[in-house]
Amino acid sequence: MCPPTFFDVRYAINPWMHPEVPVDRERALAQWSALVAAYERAGHRVDRLDPVPGLPDMVFAANGATVVDGRTLLARFATRQRAAEAAAHRAWHERFGVLYGGLEGPRLAEPVAVNEAEGDFAVLSSVVLAGHGFRTSPDAHAELAALTGREVVGLELVDPRFYHLDVALAVLDADTDAVAYFPAAFSPASQAVLAERFPDAVVATAEDALAFGLNAVGDGRNVFLPPGAPHLRAELEVRGFVCVEIDTSELLLGGGSVKCCTQEIRPTPARATAAHEGDPR
């Protein structure tokens, strides 16, 4: 995670960004810090990525890399405004990837195709769901599959308000392939794929999705999400999840919430314990 030290809205690269609306950076930092604290109370470790002046969107760390079984596919951003963020993520993974890499050392792949990492890659135990249509290229799906050996299933996004997969679909429990999603964000063909593969999924409403309720992080027990998605919260609680609501209203001015702020590190099984016990910062 990267603190919003330099967070601002100076340009509009998604429908949620309005440069004429001022940003309260102190409030953004307080909200981000509350998310970090919630993760740590739940037993998760949070490593910090140093922010870089002039890169106001670095707080949205999910877009910098995808780590699966200790193998890392770096991002190649679709927009010139965020392109320089890739170098900071590369440097972090080059330095600390050994903590969670395979026994032969970390596997770090430079992308050829455009991908915005966990913005468009949702990692489950049996499959990686991969968004395309606005940011990530379908060619990047094959790159991640080749690097990780995982099945990667493409899903087409059709509503520009849901420009990344992680604002249209949430992983609730990667081990059991439990997900929640908003059908109208996807093409009819992709809706059919989701309905077939995830018949027990939580189906979110438009209210849930527009409140960024699906920009959530689930660990199998807890689901960390912003407020404003009452139907989604009720459905999650019926299924036994503990909902941890975090106000991210200031960060939403940049078009991101809980998941956008969170790059999840998935080590190889042999390194999982060591990576958890180590401290790179």
Side-chain angles (χ1 to χ4, degrees):
M1 297 180 70
C2 181
T5 307
F6 305 109
F7 175 61
D8 205 348
V9 179
R10 303 175 185 173
Y11 44 74
I13 56 173
N14 66 59
W16 306 95
M17 301 177 79
H18 299 284
E20 70 277 8
V21 178
V23 167
D24 185 335
R25 197 172 292 159
E26 186 173 320
R27 186 164 183 251
L29 180 58
Q31 293 176 352
W32 179 88
S33 299
L35 177 58
V36 171
Y39 284 150
E40 292 178 336
R41 283 195 301 271
H44 300 293
R45 168 179 148 182
V46 177
D47 294 329
R48 275 72 164 175
L49 174 69
D50 291 334
V52 177
L55 297 178
D57 283 335
M58 276 192 70
V59 64
F60 302 127
N63 303 133
T66 304
V67 182
V68 182
D69 299 333
R71 297 180 177 182
T72 303
L73 179 65
L74 296 168
R76 182 179 177 190
F77 288 88
T79 59
R80 61 175 177 78
Q81 292 91 339
R82 299 194 66 185
E85 295 178 36
H89 286 274
R90 181 188 303 108
W92 192 95
H93 285 279
E94 286 174 343
R95 184 176 180 187
F96 300 120
V98 68
L99 291 176
Y100 54 82
L103 295 178
E104 75 286 1
R107 295 285 301 274
L108 193 66
E110 289 281 357
V112 175
V114 170
N115 85 78
E116 294 202 341
E118 290 193 325
D120 279 317
F121 291 135
V123 181
L124 301 167
S125 65
S126 65
V127 67
V128 178
L129 301 177
H132 66 92
F134 296 104
R135 298 291 182 85
T136 296
S137 164
D139 292 338
H141 302 179
E143 289 186 84
L144 187 65
L147 178 67
T148 65
R150 296 286 192 101
E151 179 188 11
V152 177
V153 173
L155 299 170
E156 183 183 10
L157 298 163
V158 296
D159 186 329
R161 295 174 298 178
F162 308 107
Y163 58 96
H164 274 151
L165 182 65
D166 71 357
V167 292
L169 181 146
V171 175
L172 308 175
D173 185 347
D175 291 336
T176 63
D177 289 358
V179 302
Y181 69 96
F182 177 48
F186 299 92
S187 68
S190 293
Q191 289 181 40
V193 169
L194 287 166
E196 179 180 359
R197 296 193 71 130
F198 304 99
D200 298 322
V202 175
V203 177
T205 66
E207 181 185 12
D208 295 329
L210 292 170
F212 274 63
L214 292 167
N215 196 238
V217 171
D219 62 13
R221 171 174 170 74
N222 305 288
V223 179
F224 304 86
L225 75 167
H231 169 266
L232 178 62
R233 176 168 183 156
E235 289 293 315
L236 295 175
E237 289 177 340
V238 164
R239 295 172 189 235
F241 291 102
V242 176
C243 292
V244 182
E245 289 190 343
I246 305 294
D247 180 13
T248 59
S249 53
E250 203 66 25
L251 296 168
L252 283 170
L253 297 176
S257 185
V258 172
K259 175 55 190 172
C260 286
C261 291
T262 312
Q263 183 182 132
E264 298 179 61
I265 304 297
R266 304 173 186 86
T268 60
R271 290 297 181 94
T273 301
H276 179 74
E277 293 175 350
D279 186 1
R281 302 307 300 268

